[in-house]
Amino acid sequence: GAVVSQHPSRVICKSGTSVKIECRSLDFQATTMFWYRQFPKQSLMLMATSNEGSKATYEQGVEKDKFLINHASLTLSTLTVTSAHPEDSSFYICSATRTYEAFFGQGTRLTVV
Amino acid sequence: AQTVTQSQPEMSVQEAETVTLSCTYDTSESDYYLFWYKQPPSRQMILVIRQEAYKQQNATENRFSVNFQKAAKSFSLKISDSQLGDAAMYFCAYRSPDDSWGKLQFGAGTQVVVTP
C-alpha cells in the first residue's frame, strides 16, 4: 500500500524557536496533503490543506503566520511551527490521499520547553 | 457542514467476544464515503474499513464489518472475535464526494479496551 512518511517522529525545542516537520508520499504523487493536530485522547483536528504549487488553505482559527505550510513538490509538504510556545506542544499528523483512501504519516510529537 | 458523532468514549470487550461501535453523521449529500480508522498506541492511523454510500451491501474485512443504515445516517463497526491487538482508538470518518482533495471529517473517537 501507499506510504506516507513523516519526520521527525519526536522533537523538543525551546520556546521562541521554529520547528519544521516534513511529510513525504513515498510511492505516489500527492497534489494535496492535509495537516492535523491531535490533543491527548481527542480526535484529529484539521489545521490546513496543503496544495502543491499554491498557498495552503487554513481552517478557521488556525494562525497562518504561526503554522507555515510549504508544498514545493508532488511528494513533499512541510509544516513549520514558528516562534513556538509551550501551548503549541501537541501531536501533528499529515495525510495524503490516493484515489479514495487517505494515508497517514506516523505523526510528530512536538514538545516546546 | 457534515458532522460525525461517536457517542461512546470507551468500550470494553473480552477476548474472542464481539463489540459494536456506533457512529452517526449528518449530511445532506446522497453520495459520500465513510471510513473507520484505528489508532493504536503507536498513534499510526490505520484504515480498517471503507463504505461507499451508493453501495447497499455492508462492507466487511475479515473480523471487521459495518452496519450501514443510510436512511438513519448510521455507520456502526462490529469487531468479531476480538483480539488484544484490537485495543486502540477507533475513529469514524466522512468524506464528501464533492471534495476532490479527500478531506475527512472525523468523529471524537471510541477507545476500545480488550481484556484477556
Side-chain angles (χ1 to χ4, degrees), chain A residues 31-83:
Chain A
T31 55
T32 301
M33 292 184 179
F34 300 96
W35 287 96
Y36 296 88
R37 184 173 180 175
Q38 186 179 30
F39 292 103
K41 297 190 182 298
Q42 293 190 23
S43 188
L44 281 70
M45 181 189 76
L46 181 65
M47 298 175 64
T49 303
S50 171
N51 298 297
E52 187 268 336
S54 64
K55 291 184 178 180
T57 302
Y58 290 83
E59 296 298 305
Q60 192 171 9
V62 177
E63 298 179 59
K64 302 177 182 181
D65 295 333
K66 166 164 279 297
F67 299 102
L68 299 180
I69 291 173
N70 185 292
H71 196 149
S73 77
L74 288 172
T75 59
L76 174 64
S77 175
T78 60
L79 168 68
T80 301
V81 183
T82 63
S83 186

Side-chain angles (χ1 to χ4, degrees), chain B residues 61-111:
Chain B
E61 284 290 339
N62 301 313
R63 297 183 294 106
F64 299 87
S65 61
V66 298
N67 184 2
F68 174 50
Q69 300 291 326
K70 190 172 184 179
K73 297 179 182 176
S74 170
F75 182 60
S76 62
L77 174 70
K78 185 170 77 172
I79 306 174
S80 304
D81 186 24
S82 296
Q83 301 174 0
L84 293 177
D86 295 332
M89 181 73 88
Y90 287 80
F91 293 101
C92 178
Y94 175 102
R95 175 184 167 182
S96 168
D98 294 333
D99 189 333
S100 59
W101 294 344
K103 184 187 297 185
L104 295 174
Q105 181 68 44
F106 287 95
T110 297
Q111 181 71 48

Side-chain angles (χ1 to χ4, degrees), chain B residues 4-5 8 22-23 25 28 34 45 47-48 54 59 62 79 97 102 104-105 107 110-111 115:
Chain B
V4 179
T5 302
Q8 306 154 315
S22 67
C23 172
Y25 55 94
S28 58
L34 296 166
M45 295 286 284
L47 177 65
V48 175
Y54 66 86
N62 301 313
I79 306 174
L104 295 174
Q105 181 68 44
T110 297
Q111 181 71 48
T115 56

Side-chain angles (χ1 to χ4, degrees), chain A residues 83-100:
Chain A
S83 186
H85 289 105
E87 55 265 31
D88 299 325
S89 297
S90 190
F91 191 72
Y92 295 87
I93 307 175
C94 70
S95 79
T97 301
R98 186 180 73 177
T99 320
Y100 302 111

Side-chain angles (χ1 to χ4, degrees), chain B residues 12-39:
Chain B
S12 186
V13 61
Q14 282 193 317
E15 264 189 301
E17 297 297 312
T18 297
V19 64
T20 300
L21 312 183
S22 67
C23 172
T24 59
Y25 55 94
D26 182 25
T27 184
S28 58
E29 297 173 320
S30 60
D31 195 16
Y32 44 86
Y33 305 96
L34 296 166
F35 306 85
W36 278 99
Y37 281 90
K38 169 184 177 181
Q39 188 180 43

